[in-house]
Structures are given as structure tokens and as C-alpha cells.
Amino acid sequence: MKILVVSQYFWPENFRINDLVKEWVTRGHEVTVLTGKPNYPDGQVFPEFARAPERFSDYEGARVHRVPMLARSQGAMRLMLNYLSFVIGGCLWGPWLLRGLRADVIFVYEPSPITVGIPAVLLGRLKRAPVVLWVLDLWPETLAAVGAVRSPIVLRMVGHLVSFIYNRCALVLGQSRAFIDSIGHYCRDRSKVRYFPSWAESLFLQADGARAPEVPPATDTFSILFAGNIGEAQDFPAILDAAELLRHNERVRWLIVGDGRRFEWVKGEIARRQLHERVLLLGRFPVERMPSFYAHADALIASLKADPTFSMTIPGKVQSYLLAGKPILGMLDGEGASAIEAAGAGLVCPAGDSQGLVNAIERMAGMSPDERLAMGARGRQYAESEFDRDRLMDRLLAFFSEVGAAASPRGKSP
């Protein structure tokens, strides 16, 4: 099968689309990627790419084409220009870069923004290929939830754009079951809306291996690890409130691994609240290094702000946490909380409830090592049952075969 991937983010940036592309190539499919220049999350083009961009034109056997685009930066306006520049680059340069390419299916990876679907829809028309869109972030709901857009008129306009894209896709996949109704609201044919969750990379099975040297050794501590994006949605004000409530508990320490738009704010708050002895802000590391940081953790924390949109979301880190076999502390609502509770893999409190998180931490810290070990084992078993990588890969390829069979075999041209 000839698969064309359209994604604003791709290797050497850390996203699950990298794993998908590698798997498809391994299974013998011909994969081509249309993406931008790697600059996520801090808006600086990766130095190794800037020095030798030609080294990044092939990924595990997949051909990679990169369109011109404006790098990210702080501020809503610059971020919107970043999104718009990929649309322009994809629509103007994409057809030229992909001239002569035949595609059986076009796959769109959408963790945000939804605008990534615009060049994909255009290419779908030009290539006469069905478009499959994987929705990991709901628009316009997320824009309202994080306060990026407050104008009802602008939100309605974004809704029209979302509807335009969804209705020109052969399939629209939602990352949680709760996404289905929201997607269906903008999609005339609800039969093409399907559930397709994320998975955890098998490397997280190594979470009890060698420990990262960047983390200072400590005895008689209960270490809580947060790994991933440090943004608005993760509700770091509530996390730091909990850390402040526990400042006098010398046994508890917090390890924060990751980066994002709120990194500098979190760094400033740690200093202002004088939490530097209890909260270690370790920075960003490649995904391959994550198990070595997980190895330091007695518990892993997943959080999302209190909002109906976020309650429909299962944070991607939850699947990784479950597979790692570590107990989970959840400060979130809805689908993410339900997954942790259904697995019996940890303790959950409502989104934004700092005192509830403190109570859960004290309760978990008071458990015996065997009790926490059993929690982690249940989580791993649940991940292997509900979010098995190989089965999900098979399901996605079955979706591709479905839309390919439904597409007219006549008149296909580059």
C-alpha cells in the first residue's frame, strides 16, 4: 500500500506519528511524509536539522518532504501564523514536492491544529486518494477550553472550517470514545466516525531498568514523576499548589520531565514559591530516554484542567504510564480518569483539586511497596489488553483497506 502522511510535526520531533511510519515501513508499505521543519516545542529549528537538513529526508525507509513554514514562538498571534504557514506551505509546495507520487490513502495526524487537514484535503483531491484524519485534539472546543479564543464568532468560523475538513475525509478517527459525538456534530455522515485510541511504545516496558543520571539519588523518598508537555491543558497551577501544600513533607519530591509553552512560567513559580528543593524541573529529553526517568518514580502523575472538552480526552501519557507498570496519580475528569480507575492502576481526584491530589499522594505513599507494585501490574495488564500496539496497528491498516476498497478504482492519477 502507498501511504502519504500529512503532519505538521514529525521526526526528529517526538510524536506518535514517528512510530506509525516506522511500523508501516516495517510491514512493507511505501510511505511518504509531508511535514514542516522541526521546531516543536520551543520554536527553534533543531540545530542538527539546520546544520544538515539532507540527513532528515529519510526516516526508517520513508521519504520525507518538508515545506517552508514559520517557526513557533510565544504568543497566540505567532502560533496562529505558524499554523497558517504550514497550510500555505502544504498547499503551494506540497503538490510540487509530491508530483508524480501515487497514493492509496492519505493519513492526517492531528494533535493540533486542525488546519493540518487543509493541505491533506487538497492533496486528496489532486491524488484522487481517500483521506483518513486522526483527531487527537478537538477543535474548536480546545481553543475555548484553554482560553486561546473567546469570541463566539471566531469559534463558529473555526467550527465551519472543521466541518469543511471532516466532510471531505473518508474516515475521521477519534482518540477516545467521548470524541465520537463531538466529531459527529461537524460531520454529516456519522458512519465514517470511528474510535481509534493511542498506544504505548514497547520501550516503556523498560521502566524498571537503569536510572537517569540527571536525577539526584535520594533515599527514603516518594518520587512523583510528570512526563510530557508542559502547557495550559496540564493545569500546572494546581500541581504546584499541591506541591506547596506538601512542602514540609520531606519524603515527597516531584520530578518534571518535559517542555512546552508554560515551561518558563513553571520555572518562575518554583522559584517564587521556593519549591526548588522539592520540585526538580529536569527539561526535555528524547522519548528513548523516558524509561530511565520512569525508573526513579514511585508514582506517575497525569493531569488535565477542569473542562468538558478535556474530560473527553485520554492524555497520551496515560497509555505509556499504564504500560510502564507504575502506579498512577490522576488529577483529571472523564475518559482519562475512567481508564485509570478501570485498570485499578492508581488513585484519581477531580481535575483542579489540589487538596484531593495531596490526599491521594499521602494515601499512596502510605501503601506498602507490594500494594503499589500490584497497582502497576494491573495497569500494565490493562494497557496490553485495551491499548495493544500490534492490534491497533492492524485496525488502522484495516481502515485504510476499507476506504481504499470504497474509492473508485478508475481515474486515479498523480
Side-chain angles (χ1 to χ4, degrees):
M1 187 182 299
K2 298 179 187 298
I3 304 170
L4 171 59
V5 173
V6 179
S7 174
Q8 184 163 333
Y9 313 108
F10 190 63
W11 166 80
E13 296 163 321
N14 275 333
F15 287 90
R16 275 183 173 78
I17 187 62
N18 304 351
D19 194 30
L20 273 176
V21 168
K22 181 179 179 180
E23 179 67 16
W24 291 333
V25 172
T26 299
R27 294 190 181 203
H29 301 287
E30 184 178 319
V31 185
T32 304
V33 181
L34 184 71
T35 187
K37 295 181 180 179
N39 68 100
Y40 181 91
D42 56 14
Q44 300 296 318
V45 174
F46 285 29
E48 60 270 30
F49 176 86
R51 284 193 299 268
E54 68 280 359
R55 292 180 50 229
F56 296 86
S57 61
D58 181 277
Y59 176 70
E60 302 290 345
R63 181 67 178 168
V64 183
H65 297 280
R66 299 182 188 269
V67 302
M69 61 180 287
L70 185 68
R72 299 165 63 90
S73 186
Q74 295 296 321
M77 181 56 68
R78 183 60 183 264
L79 191 60
M80 293 306 293
L81 290 174
N82 166 254
Y83 296 164
L84 179 61
S85 68
F86 181 76
V87 173
I88 295 171
C91 290
L92 295 183
W93 277 268
W96 172 254
L97 292 171
L98 301 171
R99 63 194 183 278
L101 176 76
R102 299 179 68 90
D104 297 309
V105 65
I106 297 174
F107 179 77
V108 189
Y109 178 72
E110 189 267 308
S112 191
I114 188 61
T115 48
V116 68
I118 297 173
V121 166
L122 173 63
L123 289 165
R125 181 65 61 89
L126 294 175
K127 302 292 180 183
R128 299 186 184 180
V131 177
V132 177
L133 174 68
W134 188 21
V135 179
L136 296 165
D137 194 16
L138 290 173
W139 278 45
E141 294 90 340
T142 296
L143 293 177
V146 300
V149 176
R150 292 183 171 86
S151 167
I153 295 174
V154 174
L155 291 171
R156 280 197 298 271
M157 291 172 61
V158 174
H160 290 311
L161 174 63
V162 170
S163 183
F164 173 85
I165 294 169
Y166 286 176
N167 286 307
R168 283 157 182 79
C169 294
L171 285 179
V172 183
L173 312 179
Q175 64 105 299
S176 81
R177 291 185 175 88
F179 272 33
I180 303 304
D181 283 343
S182 179
I183 293 171
H185 177 72
Y186 295 98
C187 195
R188 287 191 295 269
D189 183 2
R190 293 176 68 100
S191 69
K192 67 182 185 182
V193 182
R194 309 291 176 81
Y195 167 59
F196 183 72
S198 295
W199 62 95
E201 296 91 338
S202 58
L203 64 92
F204 288 101
L205 290 168
Q206 308 164 23
D208 289 318
R211 298 188 171 201
E214 292 85 355
V215 180
T219 58
D220 194 28
T221 61
F222 184 77
S223 295
I224 303 164
L225 175 77
F226 175 97
N229 184 47
I230 302 173
E232 293 286 348
Q234 287 70 38
D235 201 0
F236 267 87
I239 292 176
L240 293 179
D241 285 346
E244 197 162 15
L245 289 169
L246 285 167
R247 70 159 63 246
H248 299 300
N249 187 335
E250 296 183 358
R251 189 183 171 208
V252 176
R253 72 169 175 172
W254 306 71
L255 310 175
I256 301 176
V257 181
D259 200 353
R261 296 181 68 198
R262 298 282 276 174
F263 182 90
E264 290 300 325
W265 181 88
V266 171
K267 182 178 179 180
E269 283 296 293
I270 291 172
R272 185 183 70 82
R273 301 182 191 216
Q274 299 182 347
L275 293 171
H276 53 276
E277 291 185 1
R278 305 261 58 86
V279 184
L280 306 184
L281 193 58
L282 299 166
R284 184 178 73 223
F285 294 86
V287 66
E288 294 80 12
R289 293 285 320 279
M290 288 302 102
S292 68
F293 288 95
Y294 281 34
H296 285 278
D298 297 293
L300 305 168
I301 183 170
S303 60
L304 284 174
K305 289 176 70 174
D307 186 274
T309 299
F310 295 140
S311 71
M312 293 188 283
T313 300
I314 302 177
K317 64 168 60 68
V318 168
Q319 284 93 342
S320 301
Y321 284 2
L322 289 167
L323 194 63
K326 298 279 186 176
I328 302 173
L329 291 159
M331 184 172 59
L332 70 177
D333 301 326
E335 292 282 300
S338 296
I340 297 168
E341 291 176 327
L347 302 177
V348 174
C349 69
D353 184 358
S354 301
Q355 184 60 58
L357 179 58
V358 168
N359 296 341
I361 291 169
E362 291 177 335
R363 180 181 167 194
M364 188 176 285
M367 292 179 177
S368 69
D370 285 345
E371 288 177 297
R372 292 198 293 267
L373 190 64
M375 270 187 174
R378 291 193 294 268
R380 178 171 290 175
Q381 184 178 20
Y382 186 84
E384 290 172 343
S385 171
E386 296 294 318
F387 305 116
D388 179 73
R389 180 181 180 277
D390 289 339
R391 282 203 294 267
L392 288 172
M393 295 290 182
D394 292 342
R395 188 191 305 176
L396 186 54
L397 288 171
F399 287 150
F400 291 174
S401 297
E402 176 187 338
V403 297
S408 171
R410 294 178 297 174
K412 288 203 71 167
S413 64

